[in-house]
Amino acid sequence: MKDSDIRQGTLALMVLKTLELLGPLHGYAIARRIEQISGDLLTVNQGTLYPVLLKMMQEGSIKAAWGASENNRKARFYSITRQGRKQLQEEARSWQQTAAIIARFHAAKVQDLK
């Protein structure tokens, strides 16, 4: 895994947060925004993104509608659903807890464990 690859299980969370912040976007725009928000530290592979979007639609966390992109091409625009907002809150809370636990391990010293 390269440093720029997105860790498994995080892409859906990033998609939900991106759609919550920016509203409906087509797949290419979602990928670019995730890369932009990461400071270009992450790379979103289209072959990874679209299966995740399909799975999220099937689960009901996002919905899609056809529209015209910036260059007037037909594109599918994705938006977050009420269920997706709830899922985003739950997953964000879980990730914050996980990050806090990892931070404790990084900060631990031998004398703290005696």
Side-chain angles (χ1 to χ4, degrees), residues 24-38:
L25 294 169
H26 54 79
Y28 180 79
I30 292 170
R32 297 297 73 80
R33 293 298 179 226
I34 290 171
E35 291 172 355
Q36 180 185 32
I37 292 167
S38 78

Side-chain angles (χ1 to χ4, degrees), residues 11-58:
L11 183 55
L13 178 64
M14 291 178 196
V15 168
L16 290 174
K17 186 62 179 179
T18 301
L19 293 175
E20 180 191 52
L21 289 172
L22 301 174
L25 294 169
H26 54 79
Y28 180 79
I30 292 170
R32 297 297 73 80
R33 293 298 179 226
I34 290 171
E35 291 172 355
Q36 180 185 32
I37 292 167
S38 78
D40 292 321
L41 296 174
L42 299 175
T43 302
V44 180
N45 182 313
Q46 300 294 315
T48 303
L49 177 62
Y50 286 100
V52 168
L53 292 172
L54 177 61
K55 182 175 186 260
M56 293 173 72
M57 282 181 20
Q58 291 169 343

Side-chain angles (χ1 to χ4, degrees), residues 1-18:
M1 175 178 270
K2 300 179 299 205
D3 287 343
S4 62
D5 289 342
I6 295 177
R7 305 288 189 266
Q8 187 170 350
T10 60
L11 183 55
L13 178 64
M14 291 178 196
V15 168
L16 290 174
K17 186 62 179 179
T18 301

Side-chain angles (χ1 to χ4, degrees), residues 99-113:
I101 291 168
I102 296 299
R104 286 177 142 177
F105 276 90
H106 281 291
K109 296 178 178 51
V110 172
Q111 57 268 27
D112 296 338
L113 304 174

